[in-house]
Amino acid sequence: MTQFPSNWPYSTDNMMPFIDLKVQEKKLHSNLQEAFESLMSSGSFIMGPKVEECELALSNLSGCQALTCASGTDALMLALMAINIGPGDAVFVPSFTFAASAEVIRLLGASPVFIDCTPDTFCLDINSLTEAYDMIIRDKKLTPKSLIAVDLFGHPVEYEPLKNFCEERHLVFIGDCAQSFGATYDTKPVTSLSHIATTSFYPAKPLSCYGDGGAVFVSHDQEELLNTLKSLRIHGQGNTRYEHIRIGLTGRMDALQAAFLLVKMGIFEEEVALRQKIADRYTTGLQDLEILSLYAPKVKENCTSVWAQYTLRVNNRNAFQEHLRSYGIPTGIYYPIPTHLQIAYKDDIRAPKGLPVTENLASQVVSLPIDPYISTSVQDGVIDIIKDFYKK
Ligand SMILES: *Cc1c(COP(=O)(O)O)cnc(C)c1O
């Protein structure tokens, strides 16, 4: 029997990595080592020059003022704290996302209102949002304060219509760009299109630390908001170190992570281009299969994605995953349980027509391995193995 695909290196005993961070680490090894050694000998582990340098580099990439922090979750928390979200406030949020997007709302005692998403972009559906907003106004129990929009899998939301929606209703528009740092909408960085944007540098995100990290972004004219965020990040600090003018967090990014992130930023643009090439290769390779219930993600024409995930919709997901696994190909499900169906969020408010698209997607989505360094031959093998599944 001839081997299929020829010279395929993986098997159930030798699984392909879902995200291979080792190739990148090898490529940057000496620079990372140098960054590590120089940081260790500097003795400056909290804040200091590396954090400042990192924030400057992030500001240049993001088109706004960047403030580093301890994680993507803390970034969202800082954003909500800076606009005084608390009990009695409604914050609109999609359910089809990582739980942190809604968690921060509940942590502050406010009420998340779960919104449905669209089946083609997997991002927030503005009709569902409008209906939910009108419902909150009619009910008069909560004050609508903010929207957290999520660029799921690295694909930008509809920034322009959403910003208009928020401005007309005096909602603070927060962009959760945890998966989309580096993506663009109308050629502008996604982080520059909301009132406050946040991101995460968790290791699996397109730009990542070797540990936790995150950032908040505000436009250059928002000096006061920036100062509030800075104070919140360090225990509500006032003008001097032991003066506390509000309740805050221990929300700083470690200087070591800032040093690593600076090294990684040096090749980030190149990596975004490589991710796009890999996404295109999947899309081209799999396009004939669309009739077979397999649906590739759509990125709107005025946008670019950073492909944090390459996610398909399939009807027979278990068999699809098992087929790939038998060839040593791991797949991921983001997310198997939508946030509004999680135990911790079961009593929270949902959009008036429910979240049928989200619930359907949760049973269909499956993500393929993607990182900037998958070789062409391996990727072609993955494509052939998927095609083989649909032949049966
Ligand atoms: C990863 C992620 C977060 C949280 O980021 P952490 O750095 O893990 O705290 C928030 N929102 C979304 C959409 C994410 O994907």
Side-chain angles (χ1 to χ4, degrees), residues 176-308:
D176 180 350
C177 305
Q179 302 182 12
S180 65
F181 186 79
T184 64
Y185 177 95
D186 284 342
T187 74
K188 297 185 202 86
V190 284
T191 40
S192 67
L193 297 163
S194 49
H195 298 125
I196 310 176
T198 64
T199 199
S200 162
F201 303 118
Y202 179 83
K205 313 286 181 180
L207 176 63
S208 61
C209 294
Y210 291 102
D212 280 310
V216 188
F217 304 90
V218 297
S219 65
H220 288 285
D221 55 4
Q222 299 265 26
E223 204 55 43
E224 200 182 317
L225 180 58
L226 185 73
N227 287 334
T228 305
L229 288 163
K230 279 184 181 167
S231 161
L232 286 165
R233 176 175 62 173
I234 310 183
H235 305 290
Q237 213 170 66
N239 288 326
T240 59
R241 184 159 185 181
Y242 293 109
E243 183 192 349
H244 304 280
I245 56 175
R246 52 171 70 80
I247 299 301
L249 305 175
T250 327
R252 301 162 296 226
M253 175 187 277
D254 287 349
L256 184 59
Q257 296 302 339
F260 289 148
L261 200 59
L262 272 163
V263 174
K264 291 215 191 182
M265 263 190 272
I267 57 163
F268 183 57
E269 261 179 73
E270 195 182 299
E271 290 189 339
V272 170
L274 288 173
R275 282 178 175 278
Q276 182 60 51
K277 260 173 86 173
I278 285 162
D280 287 343
R281 200 171 185 88
Y282 272 141
T283 304
T284 310
L286 297 171
Q287 66 188 0
D288 297 345
L289 297 177
E290 272 192 61
I291 35 165
L292 295 165
S293 87
L294 186 147
Y295 185 88
K298 296 275 179 290
V299 177
K300 292 251 151 61
E301 253 154 41
N302 59 337
C303 301
T304 60
S305 173
V306 286
W307 301 98

Side-chain angles (χ1 to χ4, degrees), residues 93-109:
V93 65
S95 168
F96 198 51
T97 170
F98 182 56
S101 310
E103 187 177 30
V104 287
I105 304 168
R106 284 277 304 278
L107 268 170
L108 290 170

Side-chain angles (χ1 to χ4, degrees), residues 9-10 16 278 281 371-382:
Y10 299 110
M16 173 183 179
I278 285 162
R281 200 171 185 88
D371 67 63
Y373 304 105
I374 298 179
S375 74
T376 304
S377 62
V378 166
Q379 204 190 354
D380 286 347
V382 174

Side-chain angles (χ1 to χ4, degrees), residues 48-182:
K50 271 296 155 197
V51 172
E52 276 171 38
E53 202 186 316
C54 182
E55 290 181 344
L56 201 64
L58 285 170
S59 299
N60 289 335
L61 278 179
S62 65
C64 2
Q65 304 204 55
L67 193 79
T68 56
C69 62
S71 67
T73 308
D74 272 8
L76 284 166
M77 190 73 176
L78 288 168
L80 293 182
M81 288 171 86
I83 59 167
N84 292 310
I85 294 294
D89 294 338
V91 179
F92 304 93
V93 65
S95 168
F96 198 51
T97 170
F98 182 56
S101 310
E103 187 177 30
V104 287
I105 304 168
R106 284 277 304 278
L107 268 170
L108 290 170
S111 304
V113 179
F114 288 112
I115 308 299
D116 209 1
C117 58
T118 68
D120 52 349
T121 64
F122 309 144
C123 288
L124 187 133
D125 176 2
I126 198 158
N127 294 322
S128 173
L129 172 65
T130 309
E131 288 157 8
Y133 176 87
D134 292 344
M135 173 183 78
I136 296 297
I137 294 291
R138 258 195 328 270
D139 289 355
K140 295 195 175 77
K141 292 193 194 100
L142 298 166
T143 313
K145 282 279 177 70
S146 178
L147 163 69
I148 298 178
V150 180
D151 296 334
L152 203 69
F153 305 145
H155 314 329
V157 292
E158 303 259 24
Y159 275 98
E160 187 74 31
L162 287 174
K163 191 162 193 187
N164 292 337
F165 178 94
C166 288
E167 280 175 355
E168 281 159 17
R169 292 162 184 81
H170 305 287
L171 298 175
V172 178
F173 181 16
I174 297 173
D176 180 350
C177 305
Q179 302 182 12
S180 65
F181 186 79

